[in-house]
Amino acid sequence: MAKIILEFDSIEEAEEARTALDGYKWKNAMWELDQLLRSATKYGSFENREATEAERDMADKIRDAIRDIINEHNLNLE
């Protein structure tokens, strides 16, 4: 099994350390957002009600934009 060691030398680097350690939380949050948008586009529901056509269209556009940004950073949600 491989090891990855992150070293931060000072209190000033605490924010960078927290960002490095919270990466999985960001991924999970983005996945949840993607699923919310997917529900609007695929099933036509949003917040336990039928999504309007405008909401479905916007959800589709936002979902595409999120995926483009994620891909530009060589990341994935899977």
Side-chain angles (χ1 to χ4, degrees), residues 8-47:
F8 297 92
D9 295 325
S10 65
I11 298 296
E12 292 81 28
E13 294 178 337
E15 184 66 28
E16 287 87 359
R18 180 52 37 204
T19 298
L21 295 172
D22 284 347
Y24 74 96
K25 291 179 184 178
W26 282 95
K27 181 178 182 175
N28 287 340
M30 292 305 296
W31 186 83
E32 287 181 28
L33 176 58
D34 182 67
Q35 294 305 298
L36 177 69
L37 296 168
R38 179 178 181 267
S39 179
T41 59
K42 184 171 184 176
Y43 303 111
S45 67
F46 182 72
E47 295 181 340

